[in-house]
């Protein structure tokens, strides 16, 4: 399905089209509504920052957009496919074909080298090892880790680990990159390096949604969406962006 899907997408079709998404955790007396009718559309070519106070629903929203969490109500289309109507198997295929994720708590395999961390994920996605290895070397070189291919996560700095995580997400050539607080544990200069990588990923056919509360990163954005208490309270298109 995903190959047909990829070719069926018109270039200007939204990468994400979410309509009146609601999320309530728990049931009965414990029910906690955390998203209230959130609608948003993200077109290819956009680097979107999602901001807002802790607890405002950012992680919940991006988890739903990534197909990792099912909303209580509402519909979500990703790359033209209605993910809210998909089976778990279909969702897994769509994620593999179209979506890359990076999370704050970097979930690299601690026993594997930087190179193997990228190669294994590509192989899991069905790439032959002979294709995966050169591709992984290239992308790790592009994130400045050519001389760290044989290092394990414990032998890398926080910024280097996060660069491996970004390289791993980008190696599968997703249409949509989703990052949740990917720079929160990093110093300012390293955060800028990571955002420069993300900026370089966004082309007229791809998009990125990055959760952050770091105002220093605003200059990388095409658009800044602010959340409060489970609602979008501001949605600003930025004219002037970081040259990439
Ligand atoms: N698995 C869960 N079960 C119950 N409540 C949750 C769960 N995950 C998040 N929440 C609650 O949902 C609200 C939004 O959380 P979250 O989406 O993580 O916000 P943010 O990422 O903006 O900090 C918070 O009040 C949080 O406590
Ligand atoms: Mg969060």
């Amino acid at each position: 399905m995903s190959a047909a899907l990829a070719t069926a997408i018109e270039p200007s079709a939204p990468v994400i089209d979410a309509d009146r998404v609601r999320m309530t955790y728990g049931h009965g007396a414990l029910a906690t509504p955390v998203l209230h009718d959130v609608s948003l559309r993200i077109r290819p070519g956009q680097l979107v920052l999602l901001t807002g106070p802790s607890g405002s629903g950012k992680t919940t929203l991006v988890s739903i957009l990534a197909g990792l969490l099912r909303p209580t109500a509402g519909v979500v289309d990703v790359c033209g496919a209605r993910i809210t109507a998909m089976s778990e198997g279909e969702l897994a295929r769509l994620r593999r074909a179209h979506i890359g994720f990076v999370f704050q708590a970097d979930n690299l395999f601690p026993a594997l080298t930087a190179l193997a961390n990228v190669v294994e994920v590509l192989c899991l996605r069905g790439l032959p090892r002979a294709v995966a290895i050169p591709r992984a070397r290239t992308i790790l070189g592009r994130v400045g880790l050519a001389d760290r291919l044989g290092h394990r996560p414990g032998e890398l700095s926080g910024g280097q680990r996060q660069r491996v995580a970004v390289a791993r997400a980008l190696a599968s050539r997703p249409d949509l990159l989703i990052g949740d607080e990917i720079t929160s544990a990093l110093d300012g200069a390293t955060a800028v390096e990571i955002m420069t990588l993300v900026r370089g990923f966004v082309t007229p056919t791809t998009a990125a949604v990055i959760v952050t509360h770091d105002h220093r990163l605003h200059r990388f954005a095409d658009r800044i969406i602010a959340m409060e208490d489970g609602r979008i309270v501001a949605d600003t298109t930025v004219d002037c962006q970081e040259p990439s």
Side-chain angles (χ1 to χ4, degrees):
M1 179 197 71
S2 39
L5 199 69
T7 50
I9 306 167
E10 27 162 331
S12 60
V15 176
I16 291 173
D17 195 350
D19 189 36
R20 283 167 288 173
V21 170
R22 275 186 216 169
M23 185 67 194
T24 298
Y25 289 111
H27 297 280
L30 296 176
T32 315
V34 300
L35 293 179
H36 310 275
D37 288 322
V38 172
S39 298
L40 89 153
R41 189 172 284 181
I42 295 173
R43 296 203 175 275
Q46 290 188 332
L47 196 168
V48 179
L49 293 183
L50 186 60
T51 69
S54 180
S56 56
K58 305 179 299 294
T59 293
T60 301
L61 180 59
V62 292
S63 301
I64 289 170
L65 300 180
L68 296 169
L69 187 64
R70 283 187 194 274
T72 310
V75 293
V76 179
D77 294 348
V78 171
C79 295
R82 180 133 311 170
I83 65 167
T84 37
M86 284 184 176
S87 68
E88 290 304 320
E90 288 171 325
L91 261 179
R93 277 196 294 280
L94 177 120
R95 282 199 300 264
R96 279 200 299 271
H98 294 289
I99 307 177
F101 316 94
V102 188
F103 297 105
Q104 175 182 3
D106 70 65
N107 45 3
L108 301 176
F109 303 113
L112 298 185
T113 64
L115 182 66
N117 260 281
V118 180
V119 169
E120 289 312 318
V121 166
L122 290 174
C123 291
L124 280 174
R125 291 178 175 221
L127 247 71
R129 201 158 285 269
V131 176
I133 292 172
R135 192 193 284 188
R137 281 181 184 278
T138 303
I139 187 111
L140 284 164
R142 208 173 295 153
V143 304
L145 294 174
D147 57 350
R148 294 288 186 279
L149 299 182
H151 287 57
R152 291 187 172 75
E155 300 160 344
L156 297 170
S157 70
Q160 288 169 338
R161 282 200 296 273
Q162 199 59 296
R163 277 190 269 165
V164 176
V166 171
R168 190 170 68 172
L170 297 183
S172 303
R173 300 181 179 157
D175 301 301
L176 171 64
L177 180 72
I178 292 184
D180 193 1
E181 310 270 11
I182 59 175
T183 61
S184 302
L186 307 177
D187 63 70
T190 313
V192 163
E193 267 176 37
I194 295 290
M195 286 308 294
T196 304
L197 290 175
V198 173
R199 185 72 249 172
F201 157 77
V202 176
T203 68
T205 59
T206 60
V209 181
I210 306 293
V211 173
T212 183
H213 42 237
D214 188 343
H215 287 264
R216 293 169 305 181
L217 303 184
H218 282 192
R219 65 194 166 101
F220 288 95
D222 297 307
R223 182 175 169 194
I224 300 171
I225 295 175
M227 291 186 71
E228 255 172 51
D229 294 329
R231 291 184 175 83
I232 291 177
V233 294
D235 188 341
T236 314
T237 299
V238 183
D239 295 326
C240 188
Q241 68 180 42
E242 181 83 349
S244 49

